[in-house]
Amino acid sequence: MTVLKLNREFLTRHLGVCLLMAGLACWFGYDGFVTYPKTPAAALYESIEKSPAPEGCDVEAFKAQKIKTQYGLAGLCLLASLAIGLHLLAVSRFRFAFDETGFEWKGERHPYSDVKSVDRSQWGKGKKGILVLRLERETISLDAWHHVPVSDFEKML
């Protein structure tokens, strides 16, 4: 029985982006919670804008806005990291195995005759390799970018 395995390239790229987003969340959070609040407003303006504040500029309002911006960026990066991480977790927990007589999915054995239709509309277009199997009560999407060897399964169909 051939078991689909997580594509190492997919895992590496997505895990890298997940870690990058987490790192950026920490960076922006540190600036918003530590660095910006302890920096004098005029010095903060000068470090960001690379010039002294113009006459009449409210540097305290500028500082408050930049702190809020750092909070927002930290939050967005944290959300992105969580979304990517949860997607990786879901993809890694997907279990599918097949052989010459059928396939196993969600712990159940299915003969190939259980497949009512196969949607290949996204198979082989560009770099996509997505198969959609329609069973009596369920639909299974197999993505060759997420798992290997989906292409071997497609050939069996």
Side-chain angles (χ1 to χ4, degrees):
M1 180 148 302
T2 304
V3 178
L4 293 187
K5 295 176 186 159
L6 196 58
N7 182 349
R8 184 176 286 280
E9 182 183 2
F10 169 80
L11 173 66
T12 304
R13 286 184 184 197
H14 283 74
L15 189 57
V17 173
C18 180
L19 293 173
L20 173 67
M21 289 294 118
L24 286 171
C26 292
W27 179 294
F28 292 129
Y30 186 80
D31 276 352
F33 288 104
V34 178
T35 304
Y36 285 16
K38 75 177 184 180
T39 304
L44 182 64
Y45 183 96
E46 194 167 331
S47 72
I48 292 172
E49 298 297 327
K50 307 296 184 223
S51 67
E55 188 70 32
C57 177
D58 184 354
V59 292
E60 290 301 326
F62 175 86
K63 178 179 177 175
Q65 181 57 47
K66 293 303 176 184
I67 289 172
K68 287 180 187 176
T69 300
Q70 295 304 91
Y71 294 161
L73 290 171
L76 287 173
C77 288
L78 184 60
L79 282 174
S81 179
L82 284 172
I84 295 165
L86 289 173
H87 177 68
L88 274 176
L89 181 64
V91 169
S92 71
R93 296 185 62 146
F94 184 83
R95 299 289 177 253
F96 189 92
F98 64 95
D99 60 21
E100 300 80 32
T101 61
F103 58 93
E104 252 180 54
W105 185 59
K106 290 187 175 178
E108 289 184 39
R109 180 81 181 151
H110 297 274
Y112 286 113
S113 61
D114 281 358
V115 178
K116 301 302 176 197
S117 68
V118 179
D119 179 358
R120 287 186 170 92
S121 63
Q122 294 182 28
W123 185 260
K125 291 194 174 190
K127 291 191 172 190
K128 289 196 182 217
I130 300 172
L131 285 176
V132 180
L133 309 175
R134 289 188 178 79
L135 308 180
E136 187 68 36
R137 295 185 190 120
E138 300 177 281
T139 301
I140 306 169
S141 293
L142 301 175
D143 191 331
W145 170 231
H146 296 167
H147 298 96
V148 290
V150 173
S151 56
D152 292 348
F153 178 75
E154 190 273 338
K155 289 173 190 170
M156 284 201 156
L157 287 175

